[in-house]
Amino acid sequence: MTPEALIETKDLGFSYGDRSILKGIDITMSRGKVIAIMGGSGSGKTTLLRLIGGAIRPSSGYVKFAGKIVHEQKRDELFQMRRKMSMLFQFGALFTDLSVFDNVAFQMREHTDLPESMIRDLVLMKLQAVGLRGAHDLMPAELSGGMARRVALARSIALDPVLIMYDEPFTGLDPISLTVIGNLIRRLTDALGMTSIVVTHDVQESLKIVDYVYFIADGVIAAHGTPDEVRGSVAPFVHQFVHGEEDGPVSFHYPAQAYARDLKLEGSFA
Ligand SMILES: Nc1ncnc2c1ncn2[C@@H]1O[C@H](COP(=O)(O)OP(=O)(O)O)[C@@H](O)[C@H]1O
Ligand SMILES: [Mg+2]
């Protein structure tokens, strides 16, 4: 039995003005999986997450979430849909003037009518899930970078989302914290029966924890496969990415006008 797809994109395109960023993305994400989206800086990874979350409208194609086309939802339907998704953009900063406890409780207090005694139990459960129940009284300034991210994780699961999207969860972490966060993403996904999308350029770390990888390049899915398939791939693009080589099909240069023109070595000298 194939589990029903949680997310499906079809011919998904997006442009900023006349600059086309995504040019026809076809992706299927099954429930219960951890999926990585990889690609160079500026390849459109964050844009893809924003399309999935309905923050921006596609210029072609669609995103389906649990069988419904995201951009066709009415305002309150979209609101309901978004409550099932949690997005950690650049690993959402904590409210610095609120304790760890209050950071995690914030959305529960905003979005539910639960009594404070129940919120307390739920917050401690979420903190327990990330190993920080004992830290509930601390202020964000007292946390290490890795701990702050775990609190952000606890906060992101506060309303029991079915989908969590992590944008660059590993950026700026030391190697140990990075492994802790990676393993936590995997364990939480499994334990809570969620689906996770991890946008990252950290290939080695994500290959350890994900079920499937999509590579974006030039606005399309350039390659995709399981971690084993990715590691064993001889496709030049994948090889370059996995082995962090500077030269290969992924160009180092952002599209630019002729260098000579930028340096004013050509054109009018009048
Ligand atoms: N609000 C915007 N207006 C115009 N261009 C944008 C905007 N946001 C992002 N871009 C451009 O879209 C491209 C894709 O951006 P993004 O999805 O953030 O890439 P990634 O997350 O893969 O680094 C980049 O070239 C970026 O400069
Ligand atoms: Mg990005």
Side-chain angles (χ1 to χ4, degrees), residues 46-237:
T46 298
T47 303
L48 176 59
L49 294 189
R50 297 182 71 214
L51 285 163
I52 292 172
I56 49 178
R57 288 180 74 87
S59 31
S60 73
Y62 62 79
V63 177
K64 267 188 190 172
F65 177 80
K68 293 180 180 167
I69 294 181
V70 174
H71 73 265
E72 288 180 354
Q73 303 305 302
K74 294 195 190 74
R75 209 168 153 274
D76 51 338
E77 291 165 338
L78 184 62
F79 186 74
Q80 292 302 322
M81 195 180 258
R82 278 197 189 142
R83 279 189 57 172
K84 298 181 188 149
M85 310 178 186
S86 186
M87 293 186 225
L88 280 93
F89 283 105
Q90 316 295 342
F91 239 104
L94 301 172
F95 301 115
T96 52
D97 52 344
L98 296 183
S99 69
V100 164
F101 184 97
D102 289 331
N103 263 280
V104 179
F106 189 83
Q107 280 200 313
M108 296 179 189
R109 290 174 176 149
E110 289 277 294
H111 292 291
T112 71
D113 296 321
L114 295 174
E116 197 58 25
S117 62
M118 199 173 282
I119 286 183
R120 182 183 160 78
D121 289 349
L122 285 172
V123 168
L124 292 179
M125 276 169 57
K126 305 297 177 188
L127 284 172
Q128 173 76 6
V130 300
L132 288 179
R133 184 166 45 85
H136 68 268
D137 273 341
L138 297 184
M139 296 302 285
E142 299 174 278
L143 305 174
S144 70
M147 285 166 82
R149 259 173 234 205
R150 280 150 71 188
V151 174
L153 247 172
R155 190 178 58 176
S156 75
I157 57 172
L159 297 178
D160 297 319
V162 300
L163 171 71
I164 303 198
M165 296 187 263
Y166 304 91
D167 199 350
E168 310 282 5
F170 305 123
T171 306
L173 288 179
D174 62 83
I176 294 173
S177 305
L178 200 138
T179 303
V180 169
I181 294 294
N183 290 339
L184 201 47
I185 289 173
R186 176 80 250 179
R187 288 214 318 270
L188 284 178
T189 307
D190 295 341
L192 304 177
M194 301 182 303
T195 304
S196 293
I197 304 176
V198 180
V199 156
T200 178
H201 47 252
D202 200 314
V203 186
Q204 300 309 333
E205 197 57 34
S206 39
L207 287 183
K208 291 185 212 155
I209 60 152
V210 306
D211 297 298
Y212 209 78
V213 182
Y214 286 97
F215 288 94
I216 301 186
D218 298 324
V220 297
I221 299 299
H224 56 98
T226 63
D228 280 345
E229 287 167 347
V230 167
R231 284 193 198 94
S233 174
V234 293
F237 172 82

Side-chain angles (χ1 to χ4, degrees), residues 7-13 23-28 48 58-64 69 71:
I7 292 164
E8 201 186 325
T9 76
K10 189 92 188 133
D11 188 35
L12 182 65
K23 302 172 186 168
I25 300 276
D26 295 309
I27 279 180
T28 305
L48 176 59
S59 31
S60 73
Y62 62 79
V63 177
K64 267 188 190 172
I69 294 181
H71 73 265

